[in-house]
Amino acid sequence: TMRRIGIEQQWVSATKRAARADRADRMTDLQEAEALMHAAEIREQTARAWLQMRHAQRLLAYAMQLAKHSADDLEAVRASHRGGKASATDVAQAQWALTRAQDGVTRARQDRSIARIALQRWVQTDVEVVDENLPPLAMPISLDEAGLEQHHPTLIKARRAQTLAEAEVTVAATERRPDWSVELAFSQRGNPYANMLSFGVTIPLTVNPRQRQDRTVAEKAAQATAAQLQAEEVRRALFADLDTLRTTLASQTERARWLAQNALPAAQQAVDLSIAAYRAGSGNLSAIFSARRMLVEQ
């Protein structure tokens, strides 16, 4: 009886459009912060794998050095035994020391292979050896709040999650006012009715806003408060972690310096004294083996 064609357009206020656009921008910022955080985690895991590879590489070198010393000691003891200056017990002891050293080389090679696999997983290329030199162990950025806000991806993500939650509150508040709709239509009707052009405006009515719109606003406000508290907790935790790491770095650096100046010379002196005592006939081979193992371990 009638053909009708028309167009209907929903009219969204400028305030709502601005609030929704701001929320979309905040969501984009949060996604970018998550990407930054993921990239930082990859860099951290790569650095840890590199340090582990360097550590395993150095351990293997020292284990091979200890095995060479043990082999040389065994040959020397066998020569002394043939000359009647060493006993069979000394030879057995030297053989046992060499066996332990060779087993240490095997375990060190295994550890290096595992470390190499872990490093290759992050760098996606074949790695045989890494540089022995450590990079500068220093913070390139300031440890104050401004530096953290600008550079640390965890805090950046927390702050952007907070701004997104606040944008959600703004959007929920604007939703308390419904959107209007405007419609224009043409109707072709049969006899005896004339064709008709119609125009209409639709205004939704909010029913019981306290139980609907107000509740949504309250929910978003609570989430924004939780995001703010979470960001503050992240900031405090980061400051505590950085202070702990800075203290640990200073302590370990001082410990490494003290060991290099005191422990290594003392260990080398113990080796020299044990060798001199053995040559003078007042020492034994076990003291030499123990002193050399101590030096390599140090």
Side-chain angles (χ1 to χ4, degrees), residues 77-87:
V77 171
R78 284 175 175 172
S80 298
H81 179 61
R82 289 192 295 269
K85 296 181 180 181
S87 64

Side-chain angles (χ1 to χ4, degrees), residues 42-63:
I42 292 176
R43 288 195 297 268
E44 179 181 354
Q45 293 300 326
T46 303
R48 290 179 180 273
W50 183 89
L51 287 171
Q52 189 64 34
M53 175 64 182
R54 177 182 179 273
H55 181 67
Q57 182 176 293
R58 289 168 63 87
L59 283 181
L60 177 59
Y62 287 127

Side-chain angles (χ1 to χ4, degrees), residues 148-149 152-160 231 234-235 238:
L148 285 178
E149 293 278 359
H152 205 290
T154 302
L155 187 54
I156 292 174
K157 179 183 176 181
R159 290 301 187 193
R160 292 184 179 180
V234 170
R235 185 186 65 83
L238 282 177

